[in-house]
Amino acid sequence: MRLRQRGAGVQQSWQSTHALLLLPVVLIVVITVVDIRSPESIHLGPALVIAPALTPSFAGPRTTAFVGALALAAQTLIAFLHGGITTSNHIVQLVTLAVLSVMCVVYSAVRDRRQAQLAQVRTVAEAAQHVLMWPLPEHIGPLRIASLYLAAEDEAQIGGDLYAATRCDGSVRVLIGDVRGKGLPAIGEAALLLGAFRESAHRHVALADLAAGLDQSISRYATELETEEEAGERFATALLVEIPDQDPVTLMTSCGHPPPLLLSPGHAVTVPSLHPSPPLGVHGATDHTLDVFSFEPADTLLLYTDGVVEARDARGRFYPLAERVARWTDDSPEALMHHVRRDLLAHVGGRLDDDAALIALYRTPVDRRRHHHLHGREGARLLTHDS
């Protein structure tokens, strides 16, 4: 299917290029005919340079060379019919047109080469970024998940913000974090935190112990790699959430990270009580408070980084996330991310100054009739076994 779609796209691009090629060709024909029919005192030949100058905007160097040659042929015909090719005026026009056509061809070749290099870099970067931050599953345990990542740096799909989710002993553990810095320079520290979470999430029974383990990893990394000028500058904020499959009581611990938003049907938005500890990597930060709140079926838990709420519009006003998402509490996680993306980019005028990441976790409702039916069948099976 993807190959078929790609082939259709290539064919459409080919057809579009050939349709646009008619523009410089028709322009050459029109200028030539008008110049030939005009008095010898009127010279339209210099306008032929417009054709090869337009061509690089939609075609490559070969097509540009063809159009340039066609323009030279038209200029030669005009010169032959208006006073001869050997006149000084026509010689200057031919040489000028030839030089400008060659420059257009060179420009087109350089542009195509840079575009090919950029496409290769994008391909490698996308592969590396997907290896670093695995796409979140659409369904995990009792949750439906949708995520949104907006990198501040051009051509980047990931920067200093990060998120991950994993299954662990009948629950789902979710991490969202923000390392110091933004864009591509922050990827190394983001990779360290993600790797530490994936390795430690299954080892630590208590969520606070997991936070302490991540703190140790970041502190060890900072000690080994930071320079004297960067002392104390390598740190990361993080929010860890543990969502049991069967129990609405949800655990979370924050390391300097903003609190989540709890979206309930009927446009209700609440902020669970949070007692954050210092960010990961800040030396001496050992105590991690565990906070508890109720995450009921049909609710949506929205995790985000500070790049979202600190995004400013032209007047310097912060993005009011809680106020905006109250409109979409009844939407699916995917629709919610779509609305937030469009609204956030409109707020900042299309470009963010910092990386921004969001995760929407929707707790699927439990079919109570099916739940009781299964428990009834299980009880009957146990009674039969006991008898």
Side-chain angles (χ1 to χ4, degrees), residues 219 221-234 283:
S219 298
Y221 172 79
T223 301
E224 294 175 354
L225 297 182
E226 71 182 5
T227 62
E228 293 182 359
E229 294 78 9
E230 294 179 325
E233 295 297 324
R234 291 183 180 270
H283 303 294

Side-chain angles (χ1 to χ4, degrees), residues 269-350:
V269 177
T270 57
V271 181
S273 178
L274 190 65
H275 301 84
S277 58
L280 302 175
V282 176
H283 303 294
T286 55
D287 296 331
H288 298 277
T289 304
L290 195 64
D291 295 292
V292 179
F293 66 98
S294 180
F295 182 20
E296 299 288 344
D299 286 349
T300 298
L301 187 64
L302 184 62
L303 314 181
Y304 57 92
T305 59
D306 59 7
V308 179
V309 293
E310 293 180 358
R312 297 174 181 262
D313 62 9
R315 299 181 180 180
R317 295 174 298 185
F318 292 114
Y319 180 68
L321 178 63
E323 175 185 334
R324 299 297 177 86
V325 297
R327 312 172 184 175
W328 310 306
T329 57
D330 297 325
D331 290 353
S332 67
E334 296 80 9
L336 176 62
M337 292 294 97
H338 172 75
H339 291 313
V340 171
R341 176 190 177 91
R342 183 179 59 184
D343 194 56
L344 177 59
L345 291 178
H347 179 82
V348 299

Side-chain angles (χ1 to χ4, degrees), residues 44-366:
L44 297 178
L48 289 170
V49 73
I50 299 175
L54 284 176
T55 307
S57 63
F58 60 85
R62 292 185 179 181
T63 304
T64 303
F66 166 75
V67 173
L70 188 61
L72 279 171
Q75 180 64 60
T76 303
L77 177 61
I78 293 172
F80 180 78
L81 296 176
H82 280 184
I85 301 176
T86 58
T87 63
S88 59
N89 182 38
H90 287 147
I91 290 175
V92 171
Q93 291 183 21
L94 286 169
V95 172
T96 303
L97 181 58
V99 171
L100 291 175
S101 297
V102 170
M103 292 177 63
C104 290
V105 171
V106 172
Y107 165 77
S108 179
V110 172
R111 186 206 59 184
D112 280 7
R113 182 178 179 182
R114 290 184 176 178
Q115 285 182 342
Q117 292 175 342
L118 179 59
Q120 184 177 9
V121 169
R122 283 177 177 174
T123 301
V124 174
E126 288 176 5
Q129 290 163 356
H130 281 99
V131 169
L132 170 61
M133 194 164 68
W134 306 336
L136 295 177
E138 294 181 1
H139 298 270
I140 181 169
L143 305 176
R144 285 178 56 190
I145 301 180
S147 59
L148 172 62
Y149 201 109
L150 297 172
E153 189 164 317
D154 292 338
E155 308 304 337
Q157 294 183 349
I158 185 175
D161 291 3
L162 55 102
Y163 49 68
T166 185
R167 293 281 294 160
C168 183
D169 297 330
S171 63
V172 178
R173 283 184 168 178
V174 182
L175 162 71
I176 188 167
D178 181 6
V179 303
R180 180 183 178 273
K182 64 181 180 180
L184 297 177
I187 289 181
E189 292 163 60
L192 172 74
L193 183 54
L194 284 169
F197 172 76
R198 290 167 183 152
E199 180 66 21
S200 305
H202 302 277
R203 293 185 177 181
H204 298 284
V205 177
L207 199 63
D209 293 340
L210 174 58
L214 298 180
D215 196 357
Q216 293 174 3
S217 297
I218 295 295
S219 298
R220 184 168 57 251
Y221 172 79
T223 301
E224 294 175 354
L225 297 182
E226 71 182 5
T227 62
E228 293 182 359
E229 294 78 9
E230 294 179 325
E233 295 297 324
R234 291 183 180 270
F235 60 86
T237 67
L239 180 68
L240 294 166
V241 182
E242 182 174 313
I243 306 167
D245 291 352
Q246 304 297 333
D247 194 340
V249 175
T250 299
L251 311 177
M252 67 176 174
T253 184
S254 170
C255 303
H257 201 82
L261 299 178
L262 187 62
L263 283 58
S264 301
H267 307 287
V269 177
T270 57
V271 181
S273 178
L274 190 65
H275 301 84
S277 58
L280 302 175
V282 176
H283 303 294
T286 55
D287 296 331
H288 298 277
T289 304
L290 195 64
D291 295 292
V292 179
F293 66 98
S294 180
F295 182 20
E296 299 288 344
D299 286 349
T300 298
L301 187 64
L302 184 62
L303 314 181
Y304 57 92
T305 59
D306 59 7
V308 179
V309 293
E310 293 180 358
R312 297 174 181 262
D313 62 9
R315 299 181 180 180
R317 295 174 298 185
F318 292 114
Y319 180 68
L321 178 63
E323 175 185 334
R324 299 297 177 86
V325 297
R327 312 172 184 175
W328 310 306
T329 57
D330 297 325
D331 290 353
S332 67
E334 296 80 9
L336 176 62
M337 292 294 97
H338 172 75
H339 291 313
V340 171
R341 176 190 177 91
R342 183 179 59 184
D343 194 56
L344 177 59
L345 291 178
H347 179 82
V348 299
R351 182 181 178 85
L352 291 168
D353 293 328
D354 194 7
D355 303 321
L358 301 99
I359 309 175
L361 307 170
Y362 174 77
R363 187 163 197 138
T364 55
V366 177

Side-chain angles (χ1 to χ4, degrees), residues 5-15:
Q5 292 176 347
R6 185 176 301 176
V10 171
Q11 182 179 3
Q12 184 178 3
S13 176
W14 182 86
Q15 293 174 348

